[in-house]
Amino acid sequence: MLGDRGYGRTSLKDIAAEAGVTPALIYHYFDSKEDLLLSVIAEMQQVLHRRVDAAGATAADPLEAIARRVDRAAAEFTAQPGINRMLLDLYGLGLTQPAIRERGREMLELGIRRQAAAIERFYAAAGVPPGAPPEDLAGVIVAAFDGIAISAAVRGVDADPMYRALKLLLMSAALVPLAAAGEPLPLERLTRLMS
């Protein structure tokens, strides 16, 4: 319901009615509507992380791991379009409410740390140093995914083409350190993984 109607147009009474419970039961588990929003997003984030990590873990080729991780993350965001609306609401609330901003920042930092670890694994497997600190690269990737989700929600457009473009950018950028190290560029693999 929060993902469909938005935070501002959804009351805890509405959520309770949709769930078939009393508002008192919701207040038993959540301090406020903000707390419920944060809890829903945190749970969705955990599911997303598990699924994305699992998708990349089965790839023997580092480029394929990137492709699988991006594809899985894009599929998760696409399958749950309400998360786009909730992210937009979370970031909007975070601009004016310090407690929301802090919890939102914690969730972002968790995502960035997990992504940085995946980047470190990629470059270790490729045997080359990253072109920038993994934490910085991870921050850009997390911001790009969130930005695409929010942009698609605001514009009312399909995010899939933007996710495909992001995949191309990430995979192309991954090739730069390989080229700098004198490795032959696996352009045929890149083409295959993009299709």
Side-chain angles (χ1 to χ4, degrees), residues 47-66:
V47 170
L48 173 71
H49 287 170
R50 283 192 303 271
R51 291 178 178 169
V52 168
D53 289 348
T58 60
D61 173 44
L63 279 179
E64 187 171 345
I66 292 172

Side-chain angles (χ1 to χ4, degrees), residues 126-189:
V128 296
E135 289 278 329
D136 294 344
L137 294 170
V140 168
I141 293 167
V142 169
F145 268 99
D146 285 356
I148 288 170
I150 291 169
S151 176
V154 170
R155 294 170 58 209
V157 300
D158 180 10
D160 282 340
M162 290 184 282
Y163 288 128
R164 283 192 298 279
L166 177 59
K167 178 180 170 182
L168 176 62
L169 289 172
L170 293 174
M171 292 179 66
S172 299
L175 295 177
V176 172
L178 295 174
E183 297 287 326
L185 294 180
L187 297 178
E188 71 287 339
R189 278 194 343 237

